[in-house]
Amino acid sequence: MIVVGGEALIDLVPVERPPGALLPRPGGGPYNTALALGRLGAVVAFCSRVSADGFGESLLAGLRAAGVDLSLVQRGPEPTTLAVPSLAPDGSASYGFYVEGTADRLFTLPPALPDSVRALALGTCSLVLEPGASAYEALLRRESRRGLLTLLDPNIRPALIGDPAAYRARFLERLLPYTTVLKLSVEDAAWLGGGVSDWLAAGPSAVVLTRGAAGLTVWTREGAEHSVPGRRVAVADTIGAGDTVNAALLHRLSGAPDRPVDWPDVLAYAAHAAALTCTRAGAEPPYAAELTR
């Protein structure tokens, strides 16, 4: 089993008609990653705190439909976090957030994860918003120490980070030493500063960089470097594309932990999955059957 921890929220996605209208869509980087894993056929559980309001019910319904295990989900009466993406002409998105007093930031550390869990993924708002951020950090440390493969996707949202220097220090000193695979976008990398050698020296076995339409690159602690190009598609928007990369990486890397990683194959699989997500409005990751066509 793969466990994905972090926020589930509602994206209020702009639509053309009527002018100025916003369409509620399920979202949040960890939520999208869990949904994508379920659709890819992985055994996956979501670990979060989700509101008991109508939005929270719809979020869980989406995960349930994808076959995601919800036994690690905490519930609360607080409202659901809202995100408002603004789309650029190329389909890329920036975000504003409504997060005060919302359910997901009140996540508390759960008991030890089941013995069947092989991998843990964390990222995005859940690494920033206290007190939940400290609980997720504790979860990462505890489960990493018992040998789980861990994937970290900082998925930087500058509007949520009140103290950038403190966040960068936490990332480098308190999160990376417990991370197996670090996945970053070029925007994340530029905001965080430093470079691949710095990040690898801090702990991860591999750093995967997503470069939009240009594809993906991985650097490993052993000194290997591999790149694959992106797939040419008609882009509706890029919402959820990076989260789909997370899911594809986890699905392939956790499947045969004792074998050497075929990074070109893993990256090509992730690039294909992300490209399909980009052809659809909102975070709509593909199903396993779509990747075999």
Side-chain angles (χ1 to χ4, degrees), residues 107-121:
F107 172 82
T108 58
L109 180 65
L113 298 180
D115 291 340
S116 60
V117 176
R118 303 189 310 272
L120 170 68

Side-chain angles (χ1 to χ4, degrees), residues 172-249:
L172 191 64
E173 300 167 11
R174 292 160 55 185
L175 299 178
L176 286 192
Y178 302 93
T179 298
T180 310
V181 178
L182 171 65
K183 197 230 59 182
L184 298 164
S185 68
V186 290
E187 294 83 5
D188 294 334
W191 190 93
L192 287 163
V196 171
S197 60
D198 303 310
W199 303 324
L200 287 172
S205 299
V207 174
V208 176
L209 185 71
T210 61
R211 299 178 285 114
L216 298 92
T217 299
V218 65
W219 295 266
T220 72
R221 191 185 298 161
E222 292 74 27
E225 177 181 342
H226 304 281
S227 295
V228 299
R231 292 204 170 205
R232 290 182 175 271
V233 294
V235 176
D237 62 48
T238 63
I239 298 173
D243 310 322
T244 302
V245 169
N246 293 341
L249 294 174

Side-chain angles (χ1 to χ4, degrees), residues 7 13 87 106 110 126-127 138 145 167 175 187 211 293:
E7 75 280 354
V13 181
L87 301 179
L106 300 179
S126 58
L127 301 179
R145 286 187 181 115
Y167 180 91
L175 299 178
E187 294 83 5
R211 299 178 285 114
R293 296 172 187 167

Side-chain angles (χ1 to χ4, degrees), residues 97-110:
F97 293 91
Y98 297 86
V99 298
E100 290 303 318
T102 52
D104 52 78
R105 69 184 301 173
L106 300 179
F107 172 82
T108 58
L109 180 65

Side-chain angles (χ1 to χ4, degrees), residues 77 82 171 205 262:
L82 302 178
F171 167 76
S205 299
D262 183 351

